[in-house]
Amino acid sequence: MSGRYPYQKLARKLKFRILRGYYKPGAFLPAIRTLAEQEGCNPATVRRSLETLKQEGLVVCKGTLGFWINDNCSYIERERIKEISVFHNQLYTNLSSLGFSKQEILVMLQVYEWMKRFAKIASHSAKMERPVVLGKCK
């Protein structure tokens, strides 16, 4: 599922929503027409995307009842791990092609994590220092 066609792009988008937990295992997906409206696409595109996810085992269909997320949490977790592996390989390949060594890549990832933590702490402390006017923050 490379994302070359609209249904592939939508399938990938829905897949990541499932893997991130936006759609919980065992939960019904919105109706095809509802998804089409939300995503700004044709209902046929949504149906084809869902059929793709059905083939991958992420969603289940019961005729006119609609589609819902596979309720096998361990399967969903295995799919998450597969995606992590794909991203890891892509990141490593891309950075290696730019001439970075394994050690440099590891340092970059550590620095990135440190920066995220620092930004979170800085954001939290900035919220604490805001002046309050009439019970509301400026």
Side-chain angles (χ1 to χ4, degrees):
M1 182 173 29
S2 66
R4 184 174 180 189
Y5 298 104
Y7 82 91
Q8 291 173 322
K9 290 177 183 177
L10 180 58
R12 190 137 181 90
K13 187 176 186 179
L14 294 172
K15 178 178 184 174
F16 284 115
R17 286 181 185 168
I18 294 167
L19 297 179
R20 281 194 319 257
Y22 181 80
Y23 296 123
K24 304 291 183 205
F28 274 95
L29 284 166
I32 288 175
R33 289 178 193 249
T34 303
L35 277 172
E37 288 173 11
Q38 289 173 350
E39 299 300 325
C41 62
N42 189 302
T45 301
V46 173
R47 173 164 284 289
R48 193 159 180 197
S49 297
L50 293 173
E51 289 296 333
T52 299
L53 295 176
K54 181 181 167 188
Q55 289 174 356
E56 291 183 21
L58 287 170
V59 300
V60 180
C61 177
K62 284 278 188 171
T64 59
L65 293 177
F67 289 86
W68 68 91
I69 308 304
N70 184 335
D71 62 357
N72 184 338
C73 294
S74 61
Y75 179 78
I76 302 288
E77 189 59 28
R78 282 193 306 272
E79 290 299 309
R80 286 185 71 190
I81 291 168
K82 282 183 197 175
E83 287 299 322
I84 289 169
S85 177
V86 168
F87 285 136
H88 176 266
N89 290 336
Q90 288 173 346
L91 177 66
Y92 179 74
T93 300
N94 291 342
L95 290 175
S96 293
S97 69
L98 292 173
F100 292 103
S101 69
K102 278 186 179 182
Q103 186 63 33
E104 290 171 317
I105 294 169
L106 287 173
V107 169
M108 279 186 248
L109 292 172
Q110 290 169 341
V111 168
Y112 175 73
E113 285 302 315
W114 178 83
M115 288 172 53
K116 278 186 2 185
R117 285 188 206 135
F118 180 77
K120 189 174 183 179
I121 292 168
S123 171
H124 179 70
S125 66
K127 289 178 187 174
M128 302 297 288
E129 296 172 5
R130 290 183 182 174
V132 177
V133 178
L134 300 175
K136 295 184 179 181
C137 292
K138 268 190 172 179

